Amino acid sequence: MGLALPEAGRYFARSLKQSLRLMVGLPDYDAYLSHMAATHPDQPPMSYEAFFRERLEARYGGGKGRCC
């Protein structure tokens, strides 16, 4: 991998944070923003509150939730 120690620490912390959020079922807003910027640059991203509400609805609601 060849990462410097501080950079490796930040990578590890970011990966641990993402893993813990996935383990408890919390949506990752930063990953959503990255996805929207990469695949839907012409559409404005949802606010954090709207994103969280939509993710809860997708998980526990009517079964819709994936955009692509």
Side-chain angles (χ1 to χ4, degrees), residues 4-58:
L5 188 56
E7 186 177 347
R10 283 193 297 273
Y11 175 78
F12 177 74
R14 187 174 52 244
S15 297
L16 180 62
K17 177 183 166 187
Q18 184 178 20
S19 296
L20 291 173
R21 292 178 69 90
L22 289 173
M23 286 173 60
V24 297
L26 288 176
D28 190 347
Y29 187 64
D30 292 334
Y32 163 73
L33 290 177
S34 296
H35 169 78
M36 289 299 290
T39 59
H40 307 286
D42 55 326
Q43 299 175 11
M46 291 184 274
S47 67
Y48 180 79
E49 291 79 15
F51 169 76
F52 193 78
R53 197 174 323 112
E54 191 274 337
R55 291 288 83 208
L56 286 178
E57 180 66 27

